[in-house]
Structure formats: C-alpha cells, structure tokens
Amino acid sequence: MTQESDLSCQGLVRRFGAHTAVDHVSLDVPAGAFFSILGPSGCGKTTLLRLLAGFDRPDEGEIRIRGQRMNEVPPNRRPVNMVFQHLALFPTMTVGDNIAYGLKRQKVPAAERRRRVAEVLEQVGLPGLADRNPQELSGGQRQRVALARCLVLRPTLLLLDEPLGALDLKLREQMKVELKHLQKAFGTTFVYITHDQSEAMVMSDQVAVMRAGRFEQVASPEQLYREPATPFVAGFVGDNNRLSGELVGLDAGLADVRLPDGTRVRGRLAGEAPAKGAPVALFVRPEALVLAGEALRPDYATVRTEVRTTLFDGANSRVEVRHGDQTLYARLPQDGSAPRLTEGSTLYLAWDPALARVFALGEP
C-alpha cells in the first residue's frame, strides 16, 4: 500500500457455500482516482462493492481506507457513501431535504446544513432547486441529486453500483461526461461498478476487468484496449475479431499462426510462448483491418474472406465477412476507396502484425 492510496485491499475472499464470489482480489486505488470494476453479470462485482461498503464481511483478506483497517467497522462508521442504480431518493422530501438527510443524522447544525446543501447544489449544476420535489426533475437531474446527497457528506470513497443502468441511452451518454466532470471537480475517489465497457472506458483513470471472482487485468483504459493481458480481456473490452489456429513459429516477438485452411498470419505474442503446434487465438480490432492491395506492405498479414453483410455505420461501413467457419468484422471508409461489396463477393483483408495479439489457449 502506498501513502497516497485511499483504498487498499489484499487477498479478499467471499464465499457463499461452495461458490466463491470474490476470489483473492487485491487492489490499490490512489486518492482522487476514478476506478472502475468492469465485468459481466455474476462475476462478483456487486459482492466486492458490498464488502467495501461494509454491508458484508470478507471470509479472508483485509480492507484498508487511508491506511485504517475496515473489516470490522460497520457501514455507518466508514468514510464511504454509495449511489445505487435506482437512486433511492425519498419522494416525500424536497431536493434540499434529501441532500441534507445524512447531515441531519450526523447532527450538523441547521445553518451549516443549509449552507452545505446550497454549495453542493451549485457544484452539481442544480442551483435554486432545493425546494423542488425529486419527481419534478428530469432523470439526469435526479441522478445529480443522488450524487449531491452522497458528496455533501465529503466521503473518502464514493461507491457507485451501476448508477446509469436505469437511464435511457441518450441520457446515459450525457451522464458519463457529467460524472467524470463532477469527480474531477470534487476530487473524491470514485469506485464504479459496471458491466458496460463503454462507461468504464470513457470515465475511468483505471479499470479492473473482473471474471469469475478474480481480476483479469487492472490498467488504464488505453492499455486495456491496446494491450489486453488475457483472451477474456481481449474479447470483452471493445470490438475484437478472433481467429483460431496453431502456432508454427516465433520471430522477434511476432507469432506465426496457421489457420485451419492453411493460411499463415501473424501477430504479437502476449504472455509466455507456447510450444509449436499449440492452439492459439489471434485477436485483431476491426479498425486495424485494411483492404489488401498492390501497394500494401509485404509484411502485413492477409486473409481471403467472403462478404456476408454490409451495414452503414456513419463515416464507415461495418462489413461482416467469413474466413472458413470464422467470422470477422471490418470497418471500411465511406470515401469511395472501398470496392462495391455484395453478398458472396471476395474481399482480401490485411493488418499490421504489430496491431494484433496472439494468446495461447490455456483459458477461454
């Protein structure tokens, strides 16, 4: 643990009978960071958040907040607050009373409560709305009231359990930006739980990708996207194409892979080198695929594919193609440079091997 950490956990384990929901998880969150825990439903995210909040206790391991052990500290004594997906605002209270609720329970004097409520409403962009009822506000405004109710207590950590899940798509996109701005403005450490990788990638300083109770990788959003550490991370974070084959050689960190039809392609090896002939998976992003042509560099990997579907996608065409029994997706520009594509036509696609990742298939 570093002195600058607001949250440090070592070897957290939580079991429910024979099921291990959190399996030896360790993390270290710097002060003032926006830290997201990303993973599919059932991976243990919410159980981990409950451990951090104090609603549940770990079977093993330790939780420290600013260096202080928290395992036995009840939720109301921890310097932590929590925003839930359904906000849990009191409908019979005004906005101001909702925000002041925690301060009142802490026996903060009335004049100080009013001052702090007005201050936090200004900070979240809702000045003058203290006397409104939450039902009179838009979904985005109610979201900000829920945040203000937590932030007015000045917690060390703010835990957020999929808080945008109940919002419509357009409002979710707006609130991603709002949340990031608010986190920076307050300087509070956010620990954010989500199954939506776009939320985690847009807002976070660091992201922990979780699967089956464990962290697969903890890194910046850019590193997760460009340098996934496992096949699961490569497939879960962003769009990615996967080609299965066998390793036939290695040269300066590049893996030579033979696909089932005999085509040879290359990509950067991730992790330790497997034996020749071992099964591997090559991942390459749709935006890394380019049209193979005469001017293409000879060291690019190239595959012959058959066009299945072409979809208009704004500035690009999203093209679904097949190579043998494996499906690929490419994004091709709408600038007239791409050939006319029809179902069943042949399309040669290529990529720079440095932009592809090859994993040994010791795990899915």
Side-chain angles (χ1 to χ4, degrees):
M1 184 186 66
T2 64
Q3 192 173 9
E4 296 79 18
S5 296
D6 268 353
L7 171 66
S8 179
C9 301
Q10 294 296 322
L12 290 184
V13 176
R14 183 67 176 105
R15 302 183 185 93
F16 298 95
H19 174 63
T20 303
V22 176
D23 190 0
H24 295 90
V25 163
S26 298
L27 68 149
D28 192 30
V29 181
F34 197 125
F35 185 91
S36 289
I37 301 170
L38 169 68
S41 298
C43 73
K45 304 185 302 293
T46 297
T47 300
L48 176 56
L49 204 69
R50 288 176 56 81
L51 296 176
L52 300 180
F55 299 141
D56 197 1
R57 289 191 179 183
D59 296 305
E60 298 177 27
E62 185 175 67
I63 300 168
R64 288 183 176 269
I65 297 177
R66 289 193 176 169
Q68 300 299 309
R69 180 181 164 92
M70 290 286 136
N71 289 42
E72 294 79 25
V73 178
N76 63 323
R77 300 289 299 277
R78 298 188 184 195
V80 171
N81 221 315
M82 192 162 179
V83 179
F84 299 93
Q85 182 178 123
H86 297 291
L87 305 185
L89 297 175
F90 299 114
T92 58
M93 291 184 181
T94 65
V95 166
D97 287 342
N98 264 281
I99 295 172
Y101 181 78
L103 296 173
K104 190 173 183 179
R105 293 197 57 164
Q106 292 179 353
K107 304 189 184 305
V108 174
E112 174 68 6
R113 292 202 304 268
R114 287 192 295 271
R115 185 191 70 77
R116 285 172 63 175
V117 167
E119 180 182 70
V120 78
L121 279 171
E122 184 78 34
Q123 288 174 303
V124 300
L126 299 175
L129 297 187
D131 295 329
R132 294 277 191 93
N133 185 282
Q135 305 307 312
E136 299 172 11
L137 305 181
S138 68
Q141 289 173 323
R142 288 196 297 272
Q143 185 76 58
R144 282 183 275 171
V145 171
L147 286 165
R149 183 175 61 180
C150 295
L151 292 168
V152 76
L153 297 172
R154 299 167 183 168
T156 299
L157 295 179
L158 184 61
L159 309 178
L160 302 101
D161 189 7
E162 307 218 36
L164 307 186
L167 304 179
D168 62 50
L169 178 61
K170 185 174 182 180
L171 191 50
R172 279 204 308 273
E173 293 299 314
Q174 293 172 350
M175 285 306 300
K176 287 181 201 176
V177 179
E178 290 272 355
L179 274 175
K180 183 65 174 176
H181 287 327
L182 287 171
Q183 189 268 332
K184 290 298 183 188
F186 280 87
T188 304
T189 302
F190 279 22
V191 178
Y192 188 96
I193 296 292
T194 183
H195 67 276
D196 184 331
Q197 51 102 4
S198 69
E199 290 180 9
M201 299 295 276
V202 166
M203 296 187 290
S204 308
D205 300 310
Q206 277 197 311
V207 181
V209 180
M210 194 171 189
R211 179 172 72 103
R214 296 191 173 202
F215 285 169
E216 292 267 315
Q217 186 176 3
V218 181
S220 69
E222 183 177 355
Q223 186 177 0
L224 284 178
Y225 192 84
R226 300 188 185 281
E227 304 283 342
T230 69
F232 177 80
V233 175
F236 190 74
V237 175
D239 293 332
N240 224 336
N241 291 302
R242 172 175 171 151
L243 288 166
S244 298
E246 64 178 28
L247 182 71
V248 293
L250 285 170
D251 181 22
L254 292 180
D256 192 4
V257 178
R258 181 165 52 225
L259 302 180
D261 70 341
T263 301
R264 300 272 286 265
V265 293
R266 291 194 301 163
R268 284 185 303 138
L269 182 68
E272 294 190 11
K276 287 186 179 181
V280 294
L282 181 147
F283 289 86
V284 59
R285 301 283 181 189
E287 64 269 21
L289 295 174
V290 296
L291 292 171
E294 293 180 3
L296 201 65
R297 287 170 43 181
D299 56 341
Y300 271 37
T302 304
V303 291
R304 181 182 186 274
T305 68
E306 179 183 300
V307 175
R308 297 193 68 190
T309 309
T310 302
L311 300 173
F312 176 72
D313 186 19
N316 302 301
S317 289
R318 179 180 167 89
V319 183
E320 178 188 354
V321 299
R322 295 282 285 179
H323 177 79
D325 61 355
Q326 303 185 81
T327 300
L328 297 171
Y329 294 92
R331 293 194 187 104
L332 302 181
Q334 292 272 1
D335 59 5
S337 61
R340 184 175 181 82
L341 302 176
T342 58
E343 185 177 343
S345 63
T346 297
L347 185 67
Y348 287 90
L349 293 172
W351 63 86
D352 180 347
L355 300 179
R357 298 278 280 175
V358 176
F359 295 91
L361 288 182
E363 56 181 297

